[in-house]
Amino acid sequence: MEAARVVLNRDPDAGLDAIAVEAGLTRRAVYGHFANRDALVQEMVVRGTARVAEALVAIDHPQPLVRLALIASRMWREVDTMRLTSLLAVRGPFQEQVAEQLRPVRRHLLDTVRDGARHGVRTDIPADTLARLIEGAAIMVLDEATRTRMSAASGRRLAMLAVLAVAGLDAAAANRLVDETPELRA
Amino acid sequence: MEAARVVLNRDPDAGLDAIAVEAGLTRRAVYGHFANRDALVQEMVVRGTARVAEALVAIDHPQPLVRLALIASRMWREVDTMRLTSLLAVRGPFQEQVAEQLRPVRRHLLDTVRDGARHGVRTDIPADTLARLIEGAAIMVLDEATRTRMSAASGRRLAMLAVLAVAGLDAAAANRLVDETPELRA
DNA sequence: CGTAACTTGCACGTCGCTGTGCAAGTTAGT
DNA sequence: ACTAACTTGCACAGCGACGTGCAAGTTACG
């Protein structure tokens, strides 16, 4: 399970053998726990997505901008799962499934974007489009930060800054927000 | 060739059969032109990347911010090729090849970012990191715009705004720049 | 017409991955 | 020591995609 996350994060098309080896097992042994490859991946992605979705929906802060930054922050905390989830949300046999699980998260994000209109979030781009861009930007930064083996602190901050940038804040305002909000320093 | 671009854009792992059909040929006939599947993809990606790279490096405007917007704009003009190129630059057997071809482009982008420091480009993020983020953001927007079948004008504008946002401009300044610069209206 | 280039259809072998069957081995719990 | 759960190794069949060989057909050009 854990092994699958690691391996599939490296190569989403990795064979069952690679996963088994990573788990310290034989390919044959895996079939004792899962009916087939898809069942394994399904199980993993569903669990992971559920955890992430729950964590993101739970974000609740009076200021919309802080909520946005917190979303980026929590995503970073679950990078591995997030990257897989977002990957599987686009291609693969689980698109629907994952999309369904992400619905409340996306709704929450959209609400936050709308809510932020009076706090500096740009309105020149339709809210739903902007929400998608913010989501995409977060994932993209996560990818980049992972690829360059960025430190936890740097990655988190970068994710927050990028999300706020796409949301429409200028650099100065974003840095001020991140530095002066206690919840964003945790 | 053209067919390969279309098909692989839908599914990067598409079989040779699908490509042949799209081209109005038989799988067998393709082997009359290319030694094997890899040769075909290689040829296509190399040609495409070369074109794009050339177009992007040729961008030359006194204002760095305009250069950034132009990069996004030209990328949008070559969406299909760009998406494939960026995809192949990360995974697949051509990583090195593509990365090599993109080197001058990335250097140009990095120079532009550095150059923009005095024109509103954020400096709180290291220039090389920021350059990567801008590149990633552009691709991400292209993907999103393609997925939602956005109109040419909308897609182009969105790409420009997103790139400028990540570069550190606030929404108002970005819109002003895009609207008031003749080169960005073309 | 004749020829050269190209395409087609079909057959075939190969490769890599999947999923299963079975006998034998290991490990943990009682 | 006995059992139950789990693992291993190996063998096998299936599937899909690749790459090739060959005979027959089409098309363009002289």
Side-chain angles (χ1 to χ4, degrees), chain A residues 153-171:
Chain A
S154 307
R156 201 177 81 96
R157 186 179 185 99
L158 196 61
M160 292 192 293
L161 290 180
V163 161
L164 291 175
V166 173
L169 261 68
D170 64 78

Side-chain angles (χ1 to χ4, degrees), chain B residues 9-179:
Chain B
N9 232 318
R10 262 204 304 274
D11 173 15
D13 295 328
L16 194 50
D17 206 16
I19 298 176
V21 168
E22 172 74 27
L25 291 181
T26 325
R27 190 171 67 91
R28 191 62 189 78
V30 177
Y31 286 101
H33 303 275
F34 303 93
N36 49 43
R37 188 183 183 281
D38 266 15
L40 199 178
V41 179
Q42 166 114 344
E43 178 88 9
M44 182 201 61
V45 78
V46 165
R47 280 184 198 276
T49 305
R51 263 195 353 155
V52 169
E54 193 184 0
L56 294 184
V57 170
I59 288 172
D60 171 35
H61 189 281
Q63 300 179 42
L65 292 180
V66 175
R67 287 211 294 280
L68 283 180
L70 281 174
I71 288 176
S73 171
R74 302 253 172 115
M75 277 187 175
W76 170 253
R77 200 197 301 169
E78 315 266 356
V79 212
D80 294 342
T81 305
M82 268 314 299
R83 291 180 58 205
L84 261 186
T85 292
S86 66
L87 225 173
L88 279 279
V90 179
R91 56 176 87 265
F94 311 118
Q95 297 185 24
E96 290 183 24
Q97 172 101 18
V98 174
E100 184 62 28
Q101 284 185 274
L102 289 185
R103 262 183 56 189
V105 177
R106 292 192 158 137
R107 166 156 214 91
H108 187 229
L109 176 59
L110 181 55
D111 288 344
T112 304
V113 168
R114 288 217 180 93
D115 205 18
R118 288 180 306 278
H119 297 75
V121 171
R122 68 196 305 163
T123 53
D124 57 331
I125 296 177
D128 58 340
T129 302
L130 186 55
R132 289 316 202 88
L133 292 194
I134 289 175
E135 180 185 335
I139 302 295
M140 179 269 291
V141 175
L142 263 43
D143 258 25
E144 187 60 29
T146 303
R147 196 183 345 266
T148 62
R149 286 158 180 66
M150 204 167 281
S151 79
S154 307
R156 202 179 80 96
R157 187 179 185 98
L158 196 60
M160 293 193 294
L161 290 180
V163 161
L164 292 175
V166 173
L169 259 70
D170 64 79
N175 277 286
R176 226 181 302 122
L177 184 74
V178 169
D179 287 330

